[in-house]
Amino acid sequence: DAKTTQPNSMESNEEEPVHLPCNHSTISGTDYIHWYRQLPSQGPEYVIHGLTSNVNNRMASLAIAEDRKSSTLILHRATLRDAAVYYCILGGGGGNQFYFGTGTSLTVIP
Amino acid sequence: DTGVSQNPRHKITKRGQNVTFRCDPISEHNRLYWYRQTLGQGPEFLTYFQNEAQLEKSRLLSDRFSAERPKGSFSTLEIQRTEQGDSAMYLCASSRGTGGIINEKLFFGSGTQLSVL
Protein backbone atom coordinates (compact mmCIF):
# COMPACT_ATOMS: atom_id res chain seq x y z
CA ASP A 1 0.00 0.00 0.00
CA ALA A 2 1.36 3.34 -1.03
CA LYS A 3 2.21 5.68 1.82
CA THR A 4 1.61 9.36 2.35
CA THR A 5 3.51 11.78 4.56
CA GLN A 6 1.84 14.74 6.24
CA PRO A 7 2.90 17.19 8.94
CA ASN A 8 1.53 16.22 12.33
CA SER A 9 -0.03 19.60 12.99
CA MET A 10 -0.63 23.02 11.49
CA GLU A 11 -2.17 26.28 12.64
CA SER A 12 -4.10 28.88 10.73
CA ASN A 13 -5.80 32.12 11.55
CA GLU A 14 -9.51 32.29 10.99
CA GLU A 15 -10.58 33.59 7.58
CA GLU A 16 -7.14 33.04 6.08
CA PRO A 17 -6.30 30.40 3.45
CA VAL A 18 -4.78 27.13 4.60
CA HIS A 19 -2.47 24.95 2.53
CA LEU A 20 -2.17 21.38 3.83
CA PRO A 21 0.69 19.48 2.15
CA CYS A 22 0.97 15.78 1.44
CA ASN A 23 3.88 13.83 0.00
CA HIS A 24 3.28 10.57 -1.83
CA SER A 25 6.49 9.83 -3.68
CA THR A 26 5.61 6.16 -4.33
CA ILE A 27 2.26 6.91 -5.96
CA SER A 28 1.40 4.71 -8.94
CA GLY A 29 -0.19 5.83 -12.16
CA THR A 30 -3.65 4.61 -11.19
CA ASP A 31 -3.74 5.91 -7.61
CA TYR A 32 -6.28 8.60 -6.87
CA ILE A 33 -5.44 11.15 -4.17
CA HIS A 34 -8.20 11.44 -1.58
CA TRP A 35 -8.64 13.83 1.32
CA TYR A 36 -10.87 13.21 4.29
CA ARG A 37 -11.22 15.14 7.51
CA GLN A 38 -12.35 14.08 10.93
CA LEU A 39 -13.91 16.38 13.46
CA PRO A 40 -13.79 15.44 17.14
CA SER A 41 -16.08 12.54 18.06
CA GLN A 42 -17.18 12.02 14.47
CA GLY A 43 -16.32 9.68 11.63
CA PRO A 44 -14.17 10.87 8.74
CA GLU A 45 -15.83 13.08 6.17
CA TYR A 46 -14.99 13.18 2.46
CA VAL A 47 -13.40 16.41 1.32
CA ILE A 48 -12.11 16.00 -2.21
CA HIS A 49 -10.22 13.64 -4.52
CA GLY A 50 -8.44 13.76 -7.84
CA LEU A 51 -6.12 11.91 -10.20
CA THR A 52 -3.99 14.35 -12.18
CA SER A 53 -5.73 17.66 -12.65
CA ASN A 54 -6.43 20.19 -9.94
CA VAL A 55 -9.92 19.85 -8.51
CA ASN A 56 -12.32 22.27 -6.87
CA ASN A 57 -15.49 21.77 -4.92
CA ARG A 58 -17.52 23.73 -2.42
CA MET A 59 -15.34 22.62 0.46
CA ALA A 60 -11.81 22.93 -0.87
CA SER A 61 -9.37 22.80 -3.75
CA LEU A 62 -6.85 20.08 -4.48
CA ALA A 63 -3.63 21.04 -6.20
CA ILE A 64 -1.68 18.07 -7.59
CA ALA A 65 1.96 18.41 -8.57
CA GLU A 66 2.82 17.67 -12.15
CA ASP A 67 4.81 14.56 -11.17
CA ARG A 68 1.99 13.57 -8.78
CA LYS A 69 4.44 12.97 -5.96
CA SER A 70 2.85 15.61 -3.81
CA SER A 71 -0.44 17.42 -3.41
CA THR A 72 -1.89 20.28 -1.42
CA LEU A 73 -5.34 20.65 0.04
CA ILE A 74 -6.39 24.28 0.02
CA LEU A 75 -9.06 25.67 2.31
CA HIS A 76 -9.74 29.13 0.93
CA ARG A 77 -10.98 30.76 4.13
CA ALA A 78 -10.50 28.80 7.31
CA THR A 79 -13.34 28.84 9.81
CA LEU A 80 -13.42 27.48 13.34
CA ARG A 81 -15.48 24.57 12.01
CA ASP A 82 -12.54 23.54 9.84
CA ALA A 83 -10.53 22.54 12.90
CA ALA A 84 -10.08 18.81 12.37
CA VAL A 85 -7.61 16.08 11.48
CA TYR A 86 -7.05 16.00 7.72
CA TYR A 87 -6.05 12.73 6.09
CA CYS A 88 -4.37 12.40 2.70
CA ILE A 89 -4.95 8.92 1.30
CA LEU A 90 -4.06 7.08 -1.88
CA GLY A 91 -6.83 4.98 -3.36
CA GLY A 92 -5.77 2.27 -5.74
CA GLY A 93 -2.95 -0.20 -6.03
CA GLY A 94 -5.39 -2.99 -6.68
CA GLY A 95 -6.70 -2.91 -3.16
CA ASN A 96 -10.17 -2.25 -1.89
CA GLN A 97 -9.43 -0.24 1.20
CA PHE A 98 -8.07 3.14 2.12
CA TYR A 99 -5.05 3.30 4.38
CA PHE A 100 -5.24 6.29 6.67
CA GLY A 101 -2.09 7.62 8.26
CA THR A 102 -2.10 9.83 11.33
CA GLY A 103 -3.09 12.92 9.33
CA THR A 104 -2.54 16.61 10.03
CA SER A 105 -4.29 18.17 12.99
CA LEU A 106 -5.41 21.65 11.95
CA THR A 107 -5.96 24.28 14.60
CA VAL A 108 -7.84 27.42 13.58
CA ILE A 109 -7.09 30.46 15.70
CA PRO A 110 -9.90 33.00 16.12
CA ASP B 1 -29.27 10.32 2.00
CA THR B 2 -29.98 9.79 5.66
CA GLY B 3 -26.38 8.95 6.38
CA VAL B 4 -24.65 5.93 7.83
CA SER B 5 -26.10 4.96 11.19
CA GLN B 6 -24.21 3.03 13.86
CA ASN B 7 -25.54 1.60 17.09
CA PRO B 8 -24.83 1.77 19.89
CA ARG B 9 -22.77 4.96 20.10
CA HIS B 10 -21.04 3.75 23.22
CA LYS B 11 -20.53 0.30 24.69
CA ILE B 12 -18.88 -0.57 27.96
CA THR B 13 -18.22 -4.23 28.62
CA LYS B 14 -16.17 -6.44 30.85
CA ARG B 15 -13.25 -8.41 29.55
CA GLY B 16 -14.35 -11.77 28.23
CA GLN B 17 -17.84 -10.70 27.22
CA ASN B 18 -19.14 -10.72 23.66
CA VAL B 19 -20.31 -7.53 21.99
CA THR B 20 -22.12 -6.81 18.74
CA PHE B 21 -22.32 -3.57 16.82
CA ARG B 22 -24.72 -2.67 14.05
CA CYS B 23 -24.24 -0.51 10.98
CA ASP B 24 -26.99 0.70 8.66
CA PRO B 25 -25.44 2.02 5.46
CA ILE B 26 -26.88 4.61 3.14
CA SER B 27 -29.72 3.06 1.24
CA GLU B 28 -28.66 1.38 -2.02
CA HIS B 29 -24.96 1.59 -1.20
CA ASN B 30 -23.44 -1.69 -2.31
CA ARG B 31 -20.19 -1.51 -0.43
CA LEU B 32 -19.76 -1.51 3.32
CA TYR B 33 -16.54 -1.21 5.30
CA TRP B 34 -15.53 -1.61 8.91
CA TYR B 35 -12.62 0.33 10.36
CA ARG B 36 -11.14 0.56 13.84
CA GLN B 37 -9.58 3.67 15.32
CA THR B 38 -7.57 4.05 18.50
CA LEU B 39 -6.76 7.35 20.17
CA GLY B 40 -4.36 9.49 18.17
CA GLN B 41 -4.29 7.13 15.20
CA GLY B 42 -6.05 7.14 11.87
CA PRO B 43 -8.71 4.55 11.10
CA GLU B 44 -7.44 1.05 10.30
CA PHE B 45 -9.21 -1.13 7.77
CA LEU B 46 -10.85 -4.29 9.14
CA THR B 47 -13.09 -5.72 6.45
CA TYR B 48 -15.16 -4.92 3.37
CA PHE B 49 -18.42 -6.21 1.84
CA GLN B 50 -19.70 -5.98 -1.68
CA ASN B 51 -23.42 -6.53 -1.20
CA GLU B 52 -23.61 -9.60 1.09
CA ALA B 53 -20.20 -10.98 0.15
CA GLN B 54 -17.28 -10.35 2.48
CA LEU B 55 -14.49 -9.81 -0.01
CA GLU B 56 -11.56 -8.71 2.07
CA LYS B 57 -10.38 -9.02 5.65
CA SER B 58 -7.42 -7.40 7.30
CA ARG B 59 -4.95 -9.43 9.31
CA LEU B 60 -6.08 -7.18 12.17
CA LEU B 61 -9.33 -9.13 12.16
CA SER B 62 -8.53 -11.96 14.53
CA ASP B 63 -10.64 -15.09 14.92
CA ARG B 64 -12.55 -13.39 17.71
CA PHE B 65 -13.98 -10.89 15.22
CA SER B 66 -16.75 -11.75 12.80
CA ALA B 67 -18.73 -9.54 10.48
CA GLU B 68 -21.86 -10.24 8.53
CA ARG B 69 -24.02 -8.42 6.05
CA PRO B 70 -27.12 -10.53 5.49
CA LYS B 71 -29.11 -9.63 2.40
CA GLY B 72 -26.63 -6.91 1.58
CA SER B 73 -28.27 -4.34 3.80
CA PHE B 74 -27.20 -3.67 7.41
CA SER B 75 -24.06 -5.20 8.84
CA THR B 76 -23.04 -6.48 12.25
CA LEU B 77 -19.58 -6.73 13.76
CA GLU B 78 -19.22 -9.15 16.67
CA ILE B 79 -16.26 -9.41 18.99
CA GLN B 80 -16.10 -12.54 21.12
CA ARG B 81 -14.22 -12.80 24.40
CA THR B 82 -13.32 -9.13 24.40
CA GLU B 83 -9.89 -8.02 25.56
CA GLN B 84 -8.77 -4.63 26.84
CA GLY B 85 -6.84 -4.13 23.61
CA ASP B 86 -10.14 -4.17 21.72
CA SER B 87 -11.05 -0.81 23.23
CA ALA B 88 -11.39 1.53 20.27
CA MET B 89 -13.80 3.39 18.04
CA TYR B 90 -15.37 1.07 15.47
CA LEU B 91 -16.32 2.92 12.32
CA CYS B 92 -18.57 1.81 9.51
CA ALA B 93 -18.58 3.34 6.03
CA SER B 94 -20.50 2.74 2.86
CA SER B 95 -20.12 3.64 -0.79
CA ARG B 96 -22.14 3.28 -3.97
CA GLY B 97 -19.95 0.54 -5.34
CA THR B 98 -20.56 1.33 -8.98
CA GLY B 99 -16.93 1.25 -9.98
CA GLY B 100 -13.47 0.83 -8.57
CA ILE B 101 -12.96 1.94 -5.02
CA ILE B 102 -10.06 4.06 -6.10
CA ASN B 103 -12.49 6.66 -7.38
CA GLU B 104 -15.23 6.35 -4.77
CA LYS B 105 -16.41 8.49 -1.90
CA LEU B 106 -16.80 6.77 1.43
CA PHE B 107 -19.50 7.92 3.81
CA PHE B 108 -18.69 7.20 7.44
CA GLY B 109 -20.93 6.81 10.44
CA SER B 110 -20.13 8.39 13.80
CA GLY B 111 -18.80 5.14 15.15
CA THR B 112 -19.29 2.94 18.20
CA GLN B 113 -16.90 3.63 21.05
CA LEU B 114 -16.04 0.38 22.82
CA SER B 115 -14.51 0.35 26.27
CA VAL B 116 -13.40 -2.99 27.68
CA LEU B 117 -12.86 -2.94 31.43
Side-chain angles (χ1 to χ4, degrees):
Chain A
D1 43 301
K3 302 291 187 185
T4 62
T5 304
Q6 301 176 253
N8 288 334
S9 62
M10 291 184 64
E11 286 186 351
S12 174
N13 293 320
E14 193 177 11
E15 298 187 3
E16 289 187 357
V18 183
H19 290 233
L20 297 166
C22 180
N23 287 319
H24 28 78
S25 58
T26 60
I27 190 170
S28 73
T30 56
D31 285 341
Y32 278 77
I33 302 159
H34 297 254
W35 284 82
Y36 282 76
R37 71 179 186 182
Q38 188 171 22
L39 280 65
S41 302
Q42 295 188 25
E45 172 189 32
Y46 170 83
V47 178
I48 200 166
H49 77 289
L51 183 61
T52 56
S53 302
N54 294 344
V55 185
N56 300 293
N57 65 22
R58 64 174 181 81
M59 290 182 69
S61 295
L62 175 60
I64 302 172
E66 194 169 339
D67 64 5
R68 302 208 327 122
K69 293 185 176 182
S70 65
S71 61
T72 303
L73 178 70
I74 302 166
L75 306 180
H76 296 287
R77 288 179 70 245
T79 69
L80 296 179
R81 291 180 298 176
D82 291 324
V85 177
Y86 287 78
Y87 296 99
C88 169
I89 305 156
L90 299 184
N96 289 304
Q97 67 280 129
F98 289 153
Y99 288 94
F100 291 74
T102 53
T104 296
S105 180
L106 176 65
T107 300
V108 180
I109 302 168
Chain B
D1 290 337
T2 57
V4 177
S5 176
Q6 292 190 247
N7 288 289
R9 285 298 309 275
H10 300 91
K11 178 71 177 178
I12 300 174
T13 190
K14 294 182 179 179
R15 187 177 54 184
Q17 298 294 305
N18 299 342
V19 294
T20 300
F21 312 137
R22 177 180 171 121
C23 171
D24 287 272
I26 293 172
S27 177
E28 297 180 356
H29 274 193
N30 295 324
R31 291 187 177 134
L32 187 146
Y33 310 81
W34 285 98
Y35 281 78
R36 180 175 70 185
Q37 185 174 27
T38 54
L39 197 62
Q41 301 297 313
E44 296 174 298
F45 170 79
L46 291 179
T47 190
Y48 145 70
F49 290 84
Q50 175 80 38
N51 298 313
E52 67 275 10
Q54 188 174 17
L55 296 186
E56 199 161 343
K57 292 194 289 187
S58 164
R59 61 184 180 277
L60 294 174
L61 211 65
S62 75
D63 291 345
R64 297 184 297 106
F65 288 70
S66 63
E68 295 182 342
R69 193 183 182 198
K71 302 179 181 178
S73 55
F74 71 92
S75 176
T76 57
L77 177 68
E78 181 183 16
I79 308 174
Q80 296 182 327
R81 305 181 303 280
T82 52
E83 302 172 357
Q84 289 185 326
D86 296 331
S87 296
M89 174 76 79
Y90 289 85
L91 293 161
C92 175
S94 69
S95 66
R96 291 191 184 280
T98 54
I101 185 179
I102 63 174
N103 192 21
E104 283 214 308
K105 298 179 191 179
L106 267 60
F107 295 82
F108 282 83
S110 296
T112 294
Q113 180 66 52
L114 173 66
S115 297
V116 182
L117 305 179

